Amino acid sequence: MLTTERIKAALDQYWQKRAQKTYPASSIRASAIGHPCLRAISYPLVRPDLESKTPDVERLFHQGNIHEEDILKVLKEAGVYEKFKLIEAGVLKKWMIKARKYPEMGWIPVSGKVDAILEDLTDRSLAVVEVKAVSGNSFKQMLTWSKFWEALYRRKWYSQLQIYLFQMEIEQGFLIIKNRDTGEELIYEVKIDFEHTEELLQKAEEVWYYYTIKGELHPQKYEAPETCLHCNFAHDCLPNLEFQPLTVEIQETLNELLLEREKYKDSYKEYNRLDREIKKILNSSDKKEEGSRTIVGDFLIEYKNGRWKITSLIEEE
């Protein structure tokens, strides 16, 4: 007879199995090319077997895919109201870019899945659409373009769309971001940025050179804690990140307060009360030294320029 424990065990094993799958790359992924670390971009090419993923991350990506497919379905039906139509959706594309710095390589393959191409029925112009789905909390953090630009993973979305625009010779694109909690959509228009695209193509050539000619990872290590701690290859790359641990008791208290503070981002009074309490504990610790940093749960805590800086390490895509 079935039990809740057996069903839960089956689901856990399913997601664990999904997390253990590796996907060797035969081209540079457009979704990764915006990463500031050339070594991180080269890992899926050279050592995909070393990628470290968790079942929770797999669940998150699966939910994202479901929501993104829903947006495309709605977009297809909504076009009738403003005279546009969806002419392509979820198409895998691969482009060959001519090597310039290292001509001996010949061509550099870059690939990606283009979520959608829209055609304006009034003037027959085309636009490329990149769709993302995020939590309600993340959605609130990108309601203006300046806020959107603060997070690395969102800047990677912009770079991904720029590659599509350049390679498909389409001048206009849109980022459509869905709030998974409410269904609300946020839309940003993106025009082709040739200067930014040129930087991306130069990075692609550097990565491909070390992969095909030297057969190795790119030697550059970005070594920024906010970035490295999210990387699925950090355990192998071992960036030079030194952290000074707090006592277990202080860590537990701080982690509890930090998580509680995250819940009150929209409540100025309560957020600031918790923030003051957190800073009071930190000020009484022995870590109040310029340049010191420590990890508490899902938060990076640094003391810079005479102030505490707290960065959430929970990053969504």
Side-chain angles (χ1 to χ4, degrees), residues 22-40:
T22 58
Y23 302 92
S26 59
S27 59
I28 295 175
R29 295 167 181 165
S31 59
I33 204 169
H35 201 290
C37 179
L38 298 182
R39 194 175 179 87

Side-chain angles (χ1 to χ4, degrees), residues 1-250:
M1 181 179 291
L2 280 173
T3 62
T4 54
E5 290 79 10
R6 283 178 60 199
I7 295 172
K8 180 66 168 63
L11 291 172
D12 288 344
Q13 289 177 64
Y14 171 81
W15 291 114
Q16 185 66 45
K17 203 77 173 173
R18 285 266 300 244
Q20 290 171 350
K21 281 186 178 179
T22 58
Y23 302 92
S26 59
S27 59
I28 295 175
R29 295 167 181 165
S31 59
I33 204 169
H35 201 290
C37 179
L38 298 182
R39 194 175 179 87
I41 300 171
S42 66
Y43 259 105
L45 292 163
V46 185
R47 292 303 308 272
D49 55 303
L50 293 175
E51 186 170 11
S52 173
K53 294 183 294 181
T54 66
D56 286 343
V57 169
E58 278 300 308
R59 288 186 176 97
L60 188 63
F61 279 120
H62 181 68
Q63 284 299 310
N65 289 336
I66 291 172
H67 285 282
E68 287 164 17
E69 287 172 8
D70 182 64
I71 294 173
L72 294 177
K73 180 182 176 183
V74 171
L75 200 58
K76 184 176 181 179
E77 295 178 8
V80 65
Y81 300 108
E82 286 295 331
K83 296 182 179 178
F84 65 81
K85 69 176 180 179
L86 190 152
I87 58 174
E88 279 190 22
V91 178
L92 291 170
K93 292 184 179 288
K94 189 173 183 178
W95 301 279
M96 302 301 288
I97 300 163
K98 191 171 179 59
R100 292 173 294 175
K101 185 177 178 180
Y102 307 108
E104 65 270 31
M105 292 192 303
W107 300 86
I108 307 151
V110 175
S111 63
K113 188 187 80 170
V114 178
D115 286 335
I117 299 174
L118 300 180
E119 181 184 11
D120 186 335
L121 298 177
T122 64
D123 62 7
R124 299 300 174 185
S125 63
L126 300 179
V128 181
V129 175
E130 180 61 26
V131 175
K132 303 294 179 184
V134 301
S135 69
N137 186 46
S138 292
F139 189 84
K140 291 174 185 175
Q141 294 173 25
M142 57 181 89
L143 293 176
T144 65
W145 185 251
S146 60
K147 297 295 287 182
F148 173 95
W149 200 254
E150 288 177 2
L152 167 64
Y153 73 97
R154 298 196 289 263
R155 296 196 297 273
K156 283 168 61 182
W157 297 348
Y158 175 83
S159 297
Q160 180 180 358
L161 184 50
Q162 285 298 335
I163 288 292
Y164 295 161
L165 293 174
F166 181 79
Q167 294 300 330
M168 299 173 73
E169 298 182 347
I170 296 175
E171 294 185 1
Q172 184 185 44
F174 292 94
L175 281 168
I176 301 181
I177 303 150
K178 179 182 177 181
N179 183 330
R180 292 198 304 256
D181 297 343
T182 65
E184 183 182 359
E185 299 96 359
L186 175 65
I187 306 172
Y188 284 116
E189 181 181 8
V190 175
K191 294 289 189 178
I192 190 165
D193 181 343
F194 290 105
E195 185 177 344
H196 183 71
T197 304
E198 176 62 26
E199 293 173 3
L200 297 175
L201 297 179
Q202 288 176 14
K203 285 167 63 177
E205 185 162 359
E206 283 290 330
V207 169
W208 198 250
Y209 171 76
Y210 274 88
Y211 171 52
T212 58
I213 304 300
K214 294 198 170 187
E216 61 186 46
L217 292 165
H218 197 281
Q220 180 221 54
K221 287 191 179 184
Y222 188 61
E223 296 190 352
E226 314 91 276
T227 302
C228 294
L229 289 167
H230 289 297
C231 182
N232 290 339
F233 300 97
H235 62 288
D236 180 70
C237 183
L238 298 176
N240 182 24
L241 303 174
E242 295 180 4
F243 299 102
Q244 301 165 312
L246 293 159
T247 65
V248 173
E249 185 179 354
I250 291 178

